[in-house]
Amino acid sequence: ALAAAGLGLARRTAAATDRGTLRQTVTYGSHGCAATYAVGDTALMVVLGDEGMDVDRLHLAARPTLDRIESILTEKASEGV
C-alpha cells in the first residue's frame, strides 16, 4: 500500500512538473533502496536492494520484466479476465 501511495504521488509530481509519464522512483535508506516501477496504469513492481546495489544496472535489467508484465496485463484485459 505504501508503494502504491508513493507511486501515485510520484505520478502527480511528474505530471505537475511536465516531466512526462512516470517510469520509476527510487527511495534510498541507510541500509539500501526500494525501486518502484510503474507497470502501465494499473500495476507496479517493487525491488528491494541492499546498500551498494547498482541501481542503473537494475533499471536496465528490470525493463524486459516490466514489458512482459505489462503485456500479460494487457492480454488479460483484452480477454475480459
Side-chain angles (χ1 to χ4, degrees), residues 14-40:
T17 57
D18 199 24
R19 301 295 96 193
T21 302
L22 179 73
R23 292 183 295 194
Q24 74 257 343
T25 66
V26 180
T27 303
Y28 294 93
S30 59
H31 300 294
C33 66
T36 305
Y37 297 90
V39 183

Side-chain angles (χ1 to χ4, degrees), residues 62-72:
R63 182 53 38 205
T65 302
L66 295 165
D67 291 342
R68 179 67 179 131
I69 292 169
E70 187 166 16
S71 73
I72 291 168

Side-chain angles (χ1 to χ4, degrees), residues 11-59:
R11 278 186 169 140
R12 287 192 300 256
T13 301
T17 57
D18 199 24
R19 301 295 96 193
T21 302
L22 179 73
R23 292 183 295 194
Q24 74 257 343
T25 66
V26 180
T27 303
Y28 294 93
S30 59
H31 300 294
C33 66
T36 305
Y37 297 90
V39 183
D41 292 329
T42 60
L44 57 89
M45 180 176 82
V46 178
V47 178
L48 303 177
D50 292 333
E51 189 176 0
M53 182 179 73
D54 185 342
V55 176
D56 290 332
R57 186 171 177 194
L58 170 65
H59 293 329

